């Protein structure tokens, strides 16, 4: 395919390949998220507040907090992701962009993958960068904090991918927020088990290679399969 | 172009299937009652007391068949949901919807009776091992299926969305089944295998298998009866339904 001629004055070009379409959807979503920074910040603050509630609830004893920390941080990350997933397709659905995306020449799974990638950059990656601060609140040792960050780096894309399927299934549905969490959280249980399990293993002095491998395997499987499932769900939702 | 005289899709019409199921359900119900009676007699009266667990093991005659059915019904539900998606057949989707509550009930019974069994034998009502956790996730998947179907107003869109969800969640069933092999768990490993023969005494095994058949017949009978109600509800605008309801 011949590339479209680039205008000299820097106007937007019409995408002429699937990759161009993916890049423009990705950049558009990022730009929209940057204009509404409050949404991203709200999910981040929710993450921090939920993780901070647990020590207030169970008491400040350091050994208990250290044991609880991986699970608490991971569950708080899960819940914060659930909050931001509702917006993955709903804004586009309301102003009609989603129907245009469905009509695009670029395969819908690729467009969905681009949207999920933009979503992860604004939610999952942000959570991963804030997690070490929370881990310090729970007095986790440095090695465990490192494992926590790596497990979140592997796990939060999984949350965006699997959650994207749920978001596509519940587009425009009444009461979509809670329903989305109800549908997605059972599917995310293996991610939680291996993600928090990796940090638990480090705290116990055991190797974490198996946990990373399983998380990586799930990530690769979801990278391949979730865009197809989410695209099918979007077509079901909009037809 | 017809290759054979058989119309393979004859019973894909809700009206015809409704009539067929109406004739089947009473027989399957009787079969379920008979098998359950036989299984309970075998299990509660004839099977010997276990050497390690005493008489507490007898809950196996409810627990294991319920657990087997929870997985079988989920696979059946996912299968019919897939058929409904592929062939755009609304009767298949209705059958998937009818199967879900029975499957959820079987999962709940398996978890509940498992807790009653765990208390005297393991000392705990619940442990977070692989098999129990994945069975609990199966219950959540059933509930998610039913919730998603109930939340969408348009019945055909609800059918298709819930079907996709059922297919995505079907990956959990092999995990439950193989969890006792893949992980070190507190839950007992497989004592019944098609290839190796079983490690249980013959009367116990016979009782468990008869109860499994009884649960299977029960699930079929109840799901088909529920399907009849779903058909009447969904097809209520059709003449045959109004005639049926007018006569009843």
């Amino acid at each position: 395919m011949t590339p479209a001629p680039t205008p000299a004055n820097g106007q937007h070009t019409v995408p002429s390949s699937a990759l161009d379409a993916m890049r423009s959807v990705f950049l558009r979503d990022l730009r929209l998220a940057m204009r509404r920074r409050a949404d991203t910040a709200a999910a981040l603050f929710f993450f921090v507040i939920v993780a901070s509630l647990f020590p207030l609830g169970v008491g400040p004893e350091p050994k208990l907090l250290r044991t609880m920390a991986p699970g608490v941080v991971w569950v708080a990350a899960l819940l914060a992701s659930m909050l931001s997933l509702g917006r993955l397709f709903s804004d586009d659905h309301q102003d009609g962009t989603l129907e245009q995306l469905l009509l695009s020449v670029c395969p819908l799974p690729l467009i969905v993958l681009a949207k999920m990638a933009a979503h992860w950059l604004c939610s999952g990656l942000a959570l991963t960068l804030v997690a070490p601060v929370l881990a310090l609140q729970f007095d986790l040792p440095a090695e465990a904090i490192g494992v926590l960050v790596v497990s979140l780096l592997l796990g939060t894309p999984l949350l965006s991918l699997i959650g994207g399927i749920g978001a596509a299934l519940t587009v425009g549905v009444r009461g979509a927020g809670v329903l989305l969490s109800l549908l997605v959280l059972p599917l995310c249980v293996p991610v939680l088990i291996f993600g928090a399990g990796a940090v638990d293993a480090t705290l116990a002095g055991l190797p974490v290679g198996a946990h990373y491998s399983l998380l990586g395997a799930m990530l690769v499987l979801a990278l391949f399969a979730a865009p197809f499932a989410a695209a099918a769900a979007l077509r079901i939702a909009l037809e | 172009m017809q290759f054979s005289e058989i119309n393979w899709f004859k019973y894909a019409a809700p009206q015809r299937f409704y009539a067929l199921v109406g004739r089947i359900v009473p027989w399957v119900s009787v079969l379920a009652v008979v098998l359950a009676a036989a299984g309970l007699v075998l299990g509660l009266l004839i099977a010997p007391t276990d050497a390690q667990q005493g008489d507490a093991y007898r809950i196996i005659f409810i627990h294991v068949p319920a657990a087997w059915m929870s997985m079988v019904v989920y696979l059946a539900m996912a299968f019919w949901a897939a058929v409904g998606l592929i062939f755009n057949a609304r009767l298949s989707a209705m059958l998937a919807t009818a199967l879900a509550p029975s499957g959820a009930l079987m999962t709940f019974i398996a978890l509940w009776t498992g807790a009653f069994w765990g208390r005297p034998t393991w000392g705990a009502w619940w442990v977070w091992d692989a098999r129990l956790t994945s069975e609990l996730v199966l219950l959540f998947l059933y509930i998610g299926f039913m919730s998603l179907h109930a939340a969408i107003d348009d019945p055909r869109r609800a059918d298709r969305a819930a079907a996709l969800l059922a297919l995505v969640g079907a990956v959990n069933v092999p995990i439950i089944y193989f969890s006792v092999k893949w992980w070190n768990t507190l839950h007992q490993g497989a004592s019944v295998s098609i290839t190796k023969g079983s490690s249980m005494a013959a009367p116990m095994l016979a009782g468990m298998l008869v109860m499994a058949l009884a649960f299977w017949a029960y699930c079929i009978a109840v799901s088909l009866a529920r399907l009849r109600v779903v058909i009447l509800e969904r097809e209520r605008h059709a003449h045959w339904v109004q005639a049926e309801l007018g006569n009843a």
Side-chain angles (χ1 to χ4, degrees), chain B residues 123-147:
Chain B
W125 289 106
W126 181 265
V127 292
W128 288 100
D129 82 334
R131 174 155 274 190
L132 275 73
T133 305
S134 45
E135 185 79 3
L136 185 64
V137 170
L138 186 66
L139 179 64
F140 296 153
L141 288 175
Y142 273 117
I143 293 176
F145 179 90
M146 294 191 284
S147 307

Side-chain angles (χ1 to χ4, degrees), chain B residues 34-52:
Chain B
V34 165
L35 282 172
L40 285 175
V41 162
L42 262 175
L44 296 178
L45 298 176
I46 298 180
T49 310
D50 185 65
Q52 289 169 321

Side-chain angles (χ1 to χ4, degrees), chain A residues 165 168-174 179 182-183 186-187 189-190 193-194 221 229-230 232-234 236-239, chain B residues 85 133 137 140-141 143-145 147-148 150-154 156-157 160-162 164-165 168-169 171 175 183:
Chain A
I165 305 179
L169 281 171
T170 55
V171 160
V173 169
R174 207 182 47 245
L179 184 62
L182 182 61
L183 299 180
L187 296 172
V189 163
I193 290 177
F194 290 116
L221 180 63
L234 277 179
I236 291 173
L238 263 69
E239 245 134 64
Chain B
L85 261 183
T133 305
V137 170
F140 296 153
L141 288 175
I143 293 176
F145 179 90
S147 307
L148 182 61
I152 301 178
D153 292 328
D154 173 24
R156 287 303 288 143
R157 181 188 153 183
R160 285 190 214 110
L164 189 66
L165 183 67
V168 168
V171 76
I175 295 180
W183 278 282

Side-chain angles (χ1 to χ4, degrees), chain A residues 50 59 62 64 69 83 111 123 151 181 228 231:
Chain A
V50 166
L64 175 62
L83 275 190
I111 296 184
S123 71
S151 72
S181 308
F228 285 105

